[in-house]
Amino acid sequence: MHRRQFIRDTSLSLGALALLNNNLFASLLADPAFKIRMLRNDVGIFSERGGTIGFLLSKKGIVVIDTQFPEQAGHFIEEMKKQERAQFKLLINTHHHGDHSSGNIAFKGLVPKVVAHANSLANQQRVAKERKTEDKQLYPDTTFTDTWKQKVGKERIKIHYFGAGHTNGDSIIHFEHANIAHMGDLLFNGIHPFVDKSSGASMGNWINVIDKTISTFNDDTIFIFGHAADPEKITGNREDLKVFKNYLEKVLEFVGREIKAGKTKEEVLKTTVIPGLEAWKADGIQRPLGAAYDEISTGK
Ligand SMILES: [Zn+2]
Ligand SMILES: [Zn+2]
């Protein structure tokens, strides 16, 4: 499968389409709504809007990791229906955020099992209650606290939980045979991360999580990331993990020094460049700065 272009629900007749100027039509063709890329064996990724979807096309059924938003999940499902064996076997959420789990609802009645970490389920339920969106959720029916395994055809799936990081419910899903690991939002590649303190995130422990990930996997592992500055870098290797670990360390060191120097949170949030992280653009820099400030100043 390569780039696919998809014009959905167009209300334009062919005649009206012919009236569109060629430039507009060319730009529609050049800018597909979504991209599907196979990585290794029968494992691939789907990107449109939100956290990257990972999938396994097994003879025993399709395994899906994360679901973006309902509209994008619908596009993904339509593509999967074109497969020879189009039954969904299993859906796994890396964590509860809406750009990874709100598309779950599109799988209602299509997938027999939905798996996530127990904290991810609790977070999803809490946020849905707060936002009064409970009727728009498809919740995990199977949870775990440390690890979870299932064999699907020739592939073995193992889920690892290494503690709080981006939230307190992020897990890493490993297709062991293909040696591909979906990290969800435990790795923002080249973008300042969102740190969800209201869902138990920990910048300090996030470093430990990355360390455990580096030691659990090997140089052959292909990692899938939730988000990347460059769409081509939505997958990567252990080197990318080391870069992100260094990033987290540098943010915490910098903010720790600023707090010791008596800086207020407002002053720290005005930072545009963190020493040692000059290559990172300022866009979104307040997210990790604010989280680090709260974490260091309150001890949690
Ligand atoms: Zn995300
Ligand atoms: Zn997230």
Side-chain angles (χ1 to χ4, degrees), residues 279-298:
W280 293 66
K281 293 198 182 76
D283 201 27
I285 198 169
Q286 293 191 338
R287 296 192 297 253
L289 288 173
Y293 194 97
D294 292 346
E295 193 165 312
I296 296 168
S297 57
T298 66

PDB file of all heavy atoms in Angstrom, residues 279-298:
ATOM      1  N   ALA A 279      18.117  23.559  19.227  1.00  0.00           N
ATOM      2  CA  ALA A 279      17.521  23.103  17.968  1.00  0.00           C
ATOM      3  C   ALA A 279      15.990  23.003  18.047  1.00  0.00           C
ATOM      4  O   ALA A 279      15.315  22.891  17.028  1.00  0.00           O
ATOM      5  CB  ALA A 279      18.101  21.747  17.582  1.00  0.00           C
ATOM      6  N   TRP A 280      15.446  23.043  19.283  1.00  0.00           N
ATOM      7  CA  TRP A 280      13.994  22.879  19.430  1.00  0.00           C
ATOM      8  C   TRP A 280      13.305  24.217  19.247  1.00  0.00           C
ATOM      9  O   TRP A 280      13.655  25.204  19.891  1.00  0.00           O
ATOM     10  CB  TRP A 280      13.660  22.291  20.808  1.00  0.00           C
ATOM     11  CG  TRP A 280      14.145  20.890  20.966  1.00  0.00           C
ATOM     12  CD1 TRP A 280      15.454  20.474  20.997  1.00  0.00           C
ATOM     13  CD2 TRP A 280      13.354  19.713  21.088  1.00  0.00           C
ATOM     14  NE1 TRP A 280      15.513  19.110  21.145  1.00  0.00           N
ATOM     15  CE2 TRP A 280      14.239  18.612  21.204  1.00  0.00           C
ATOM     16  CE3 TRP A 280      11.971  19.473  21.122  1.00  0.00           C
ATOM     17  CZ2 TRP A 280      13.789  17.297  21.340  1.00  0.00           C
ATOM     18  CZ3 TRP A 280      11.529  18.169  21.264  1.00  0.00           C
ATOM     19  CH2 TRP A 280      12.434  17.098  21.372  1.00  0.00           C
ATOM     20  N   LYS A 281      12.328  24.260  18.407  1.00  0.00           N
ATOM     21  CA  LYS A 281      11.581  25.498  18.154  1.00  0.00           C
ATOM     22  C   LYS A 281      10.801  25.905  19.406  1.00  0.00           C
ATOM     23  O   LYS A 281      10.463  25.067  20.228  1.00  0.00           O
ATOM     24  CB  LYS A 281      10.614  25.286  16.988  1.00  0.00           C
ATOM     25  CG  LYS A 281      11.314  25.077  15.666  1.00  0.00           C
ATOM     26  CD  LYS A 281      10.344  25.319  14.514  1.00  0.00           C
ATOM     27  CE  LYS A 281      11.012  25.062  13.179  1.00  0.00           C
ATOM     28  NZ  LYS A 281      11.143  23.605  12.913  1.00  0.00           N
ATOM     29  N   ALA A 282      10.515  27.200  19.516  1.00  0.00           N
ATOM     30  CA  ALA A 282       9.838  27.706  20.717  1.00  0.00           C
ATOM     31  C   ALA A 282       8.379  27.262  20.801  1.00  0.00           C
ATOM     32  O   ALA A 282       7.794  27.229  21.881  1.00  0.00           O
ATOM     33  CB  ALA A 282       9.923  29.231  20.750  1.00  0.00           C
ATOM     34  N   ASP A 283       7.783  26.904  19.681  1.00  0.00           N
ATOM     35  CA  ASP A 283       6.376  26.541  19.630  1.00  0.00           C
ATOM     36  C   ASP A 283       6.037  25.450  20.653  1.00  0.00           C
ATOM     37  O   ASP A 283       6.553  24.340  20.563  1.00  0.00           O
ATOM     38  CB  ASP A 283       6.078  26.032  18.204  1.00  0.00           C
ATOM     39  CG  ASP A 283       4.603  26.121  17.895  1.00  0.00           C
ATOM     40  OD1 ASP A 283       3.931  26.973  18.485  1.00  0.00           O
ATOM     41  OD2 ASP A 283       4.138  25.317  17.059  1.00  0.00           O
ATOM     42  N   GLY A 284       5.185  25.785  21.621  1.00  0.00           N
ATOM     43  CA  GLY A 284       4.767  24.791  22.619  1.00  0.00           C
ATOM     44  C   GLY A 284       5.706  24.633  23.795  1.00  0.00           C
ATOM     45  O   GLY A 284       5.506  23.769  24.647  1.00  0.00           O
ATOM     46  N   ILE A 285       6.732  25.489  23.884  1.00  0.00           N
ATOM     47  CA  ILE A 285       7.767  25.334  24.917  1.00  0.00           C
ATOM     48  C   ILE A 285       7.197  25.508  26.326  1.00  0.00           C
ATOM     49  O   ILE A 285       7.725  24.968  27.295  1.00  0.00           O
ATOM     50  CB  ILE A 285       8.939  26.326  24.649  1.00  0.00           C
ATOM     51  CG1 ILE A 285      10.191  25.909  25.413  1.00  0.00           C
ATOM     52  CG2 ILE A 285       8.533  27.756  24.962  1.00  0.00           C
ATOM     53  CD1 ILE A 285      11.441  26.674  25.003  1.00  0.00           C
ATOM     54  N   GLN A 286       6.085  26.263  26.441  1.00  0.00           N
ATOM     55  CA  GLN A 286       5.506  26.498  27.766  1.00  0.00           C
ATOM     56  C   GLN A 286       4.936  25.227  28.402  1.00  0.00           C
ATOM     57  O   GLN A 286       4.834  25.140  29.618  1.00  0.00           O
ATOM     58  CB  GLN A 286       4.408  27.565  27.676  1.00  0.00           C
ATOM     59  CG  GLN A 286       4.986  28.933  27.322  1.00  0.00           C
ATOM     60  CD  GLN A 286       3.982  30.047  27.490  1.00  0.00           C
ATOM     61  OE1 GLN A 286       2.772  29.808  27.478  1.00  0.00           O
ATOM     62  NE2 GLN A 286       4.478  31.258  27.641  1.00  0.00           N
ATOM     63  N   ARG A 287       4.569  24.254  27.556  1.00  0.00           N
ATOM     64  CA  ARG A 287       3.976  23.014  28.111  1.00  0.00           C
ATOM     65  C   ARG A 287       4.970  22.307  29.040  1.00  0.00           C
ATOM     66  O   ARG A 287       4.665  22.096  30.212  1.00  0.00           O
ATOM     67  CB  ARG A 287       3.529  22.083  26.975  1.00  0.00           C
ATOM     68  CG  ARG A 287       2.407  22.664  26.098  1.00  0.00           C
ATOM     69  CD  ARG A 287       1.797  21.591  25.192  1.00  0.00           C
ATOM     70  NE  ARG A 287       2.745  21.041  24.248  1.00  0.00           N
ATOM     71  CZ  ARG A 287       2.761  21.300  22.937  1.00  0.00           C
ATOM     72  NH1 ARG A 287       1.858  22.105  22.417  1.00  0.00           N
ATOM     73  NH2 ARG A 287       3.658  20.743  22.148  1.00  0.00           N
ATOM     74  N   PRO A 288       6.176  21.947  28.556  1.00  0.00           N
ATOM     75  CA  PRO A 288       7.115  21.274  29.451  1.00  0.00           C
ATOM     76  C   PRO A 288       7.658  22.204  30.537  1.00  0.00           C
ATOM     77  O   PRO A 288       7.905  21.744  31.653  1.00  0.00           O
ATOM     78  CB  PRO A 288       8.235  20.802  28.519  1.00  0.00           C
ATOM     79  CG  PRO A 288       8.135  21.694  27.324  1.00  0.00           C
ATOM     80  CD  PRO A 288       6.676  21.984  27.172  1.00  0.00           C
ATOM     81  N   LEU A 289       7.812  23.504  30.224  1.00  0.00           N
ATOM     82  CA  LEU A 289       8.339  24.434  31.236  1.00  0.00           C
ATOM     83  C   LEU A 289       7.385  24.535  32.420  1.00  0.00           C
ATOM     84  O   LEU A 289       7.804  24.448  33.581  1.00  0.00           O
ATOM     85  CB  LEU A 289       8.552  25.829  30.622  1.00  0.00           C
ATOM     86  CG  LEU A 289       9.715  25.993  29.643  1.00  0.00           C
ATOM     87  CD1 LEU A 289       9.666  27.381  29.004  1.00  0.00           C
ATOM     88  CD2 LEU A 289      11.062  25.768  30.323  1.00  0.00           C
ATOM     89  N   GLY A 290       6.102  24.688  32.134  1.00  0.00           N
ATOM     90  CA  GLY A 290       5.102  24.811  33.194  1.00  0.00           C
ATOM     91  C   GLY A 290       5.000  23.532  34.015  1.00  0.00           C
ATOM     92  O   GLY A 290       4.943  23.569  35.252  1.00  0.00           O
ATOM     93  N   ALA A 291       5.020  22.395  33.321  1.00  0.00           N
ATOM     94  CA  ALA A 291       4.915  21.103  34.023  1.00  0.00           C
ATOM     95  C   ALA A 291       6.141  20.872  34.895  1.00  0.00           C
ATOM     96  O   ALA A 291       6.020  20.433  36.045  1.00  0.00           O
ATOM     97  CB  ALA A 291       4.763  19.972  33.009  1.00  0.00           C
ATOM     98  N   ALA A 292       7.320  21.189  34.362  1.00  0.00           N
ATOM     99  CA  ALA A 292       8.553  21.009  35.138  1.00  0.00           C
ATOM    100  C   ALA A 292       8.545  21.935  36.348  1.00  0.00           C
ATOM    101  O   ALA A 292       8.939  21.536  37.451  1.00  0.00           O
ATOM    102  CB  ALA A 292       9.776  21.278  34.251  1.00  0.00           C
ATOM    103  N   TYR A 293       8.080  23.156  36.158  1.00  0.00           N
ATOM    104  CA  TYR A 293       8.039  24.108  37.281  1.00  0.00           C
ATOM    105  C   TYR A 293       7.147  23.569  38.386  1.00  0.00           C
ATOM    106  O   TYR A 293       7.533  23.537  39.557  1.00  0.00           O
ATOM    107  CB  TYR A 293       7.527  25.486  36.801  1.00  0.00           C
ATOM    108  CG  TYR A 293       7.794  26.580  37.823  1.00  0.00           C
ATOM    109  CD1 TYR A 293       8.912  27.386  37.698  1.00  0.00           C
ATOM    110  CD2 TYR A 293       6.943  26.758  38.913  1.00  0.00           C
ATOM    111  CE1 TYR A 293       9.188  28.373  38.650  1.00  0.00           C
ATOM    112  CE2 TYR A 293       7.205  27.734  39.866  1.00  0.00           C
ATOM    113  CZ  TYR A 293       8.317  28.542  39.729  1.00  0.00           C
ATOM    114  OH  TYR A 293       8.591  29.494  40.670  1.00  0.00           O
ATOM    115  N   ASP A 294       5.941  23.134  38.016  1.00  0.00           N
ATOM    116  CA  ASP A 294       5.010  22.610  39.031  1.00  0.00           C
ATOM    117  C   ASP A 294       5.597  21.379  39.728  1.00  0.00           C
ATOM    118  O   ASP A 294       5.490  21.237  40.944  1.00  0.00           O
ATOM    119  CB  ASP A 294       3.679  22.215  38.371  1.00  0.00           C
ATOM    120  CG  ASP A 294       2.924  23.444  37.854  1.00  0.00           C
ATOM    121  OD1 ASP A 294       3.289  24.577  38.234  1.00  0.00           O
ATOM    122  OD2 ASP A 294       1.991  23.260  37.035  1.00  0.00           O
ATOM    123  N   GLU A 295       6.201  20.526  38.923  1.00  0.00           N
ATOM    124  CA  GLU A 295       6.713  19.269  39.474  1.00  0.00           C
ATOM    125  C   GLU A 295       7.853  19.519  40.469  1.00  0.00           C
ATOM    126  O   GLU A 295       7.881  18.940  41.553  1.00  0.00           O
ATOM    127  CB  GLU A 295       7.214  18.386  38.310  1.00  0.00           C
ATOM    128  CG  GLU A 295       7.478  16.955  38.725  1.00  0.00           C
ATOM    129  CD  GLU A 295       7.598  16.050  37.499  1.00  0.00           C
ATOM    130  OE1 GLU A 295       6.738  16.115  36.583  1.00  0.00           O
ATOM    131  OE2 GLU A 295       8.570  15.281  37.453  1.00  0.00           O
ATOM    132  N   ILE A 296       8.767  20.411  40.110  1.00  0.00           N
ATOM    133  CA  ILE A 296       9.914  20.668  40.983  1.00  0.00           C
ATOM    134  C   ILE A 296       9.483  21.481  42.211  1.00  0.00           C
ATOM    135  O   ILE A 296       9.893  21.185  43.329  1.00  0.00           O
ATOM    136  CB  ILE A 296      11.044  21.387  40.208  1.00  0.00           C
ATOM    137  CG1 ILE A 296      11.573  20.470  39.106  1.00  0.00           C
ATOM    138  CG2 ILE A 296      12.171  21.793  41.160  1.00  0.00           C
ATOM    139  CD1 ILE A 296      12.482  21.165  38.106  1.00  0.00           C
ATOM    140  N   SER A 297       8.603  22.477  42.002  1.00  0.00           N
ATOM    141  CA  SER A 297       8.261  23.345  43.119  1.00  0.00           C
ATOM    142  C   SER A 297       7.311  22.680  44.113  1.00  0.00           C
ATOM    143  O   SER A 297       7.329  23.001  45.302  1.00  0.00           O
ATOM    144  CB  SER A 297       7.708  24.681  42.628  1.00  0.00           C
ATOM    145  OG  SER A 297       6.586  24.451  41.803  1.00  0.00           O
ATOM    146  N   THR A 298       6.485  21.745  43.655  1.00  0.00           N
ATOM    147  CA  THR A 298       5.548  21.093  44.587  1.00  0.00           C
ATOM    148  C   THR A 298       5.994  19.690  44.961  1.00  0.00           C
ATOM    149  O   THR A 298       5.425  19.081  45.864  1.00  0.00           O
ATOM    150  CB  THR A 298       4.135  20.971  43.969  1.00  0.00           C
ATOM    151  OG1 THR A 298       4.198  20.068  42.862  1.00  0.00           O
ATOM    152  CG2 THR A 298       3.584  22.310  43.505  1.00  0.00           C
TER     153      THR A 298
END
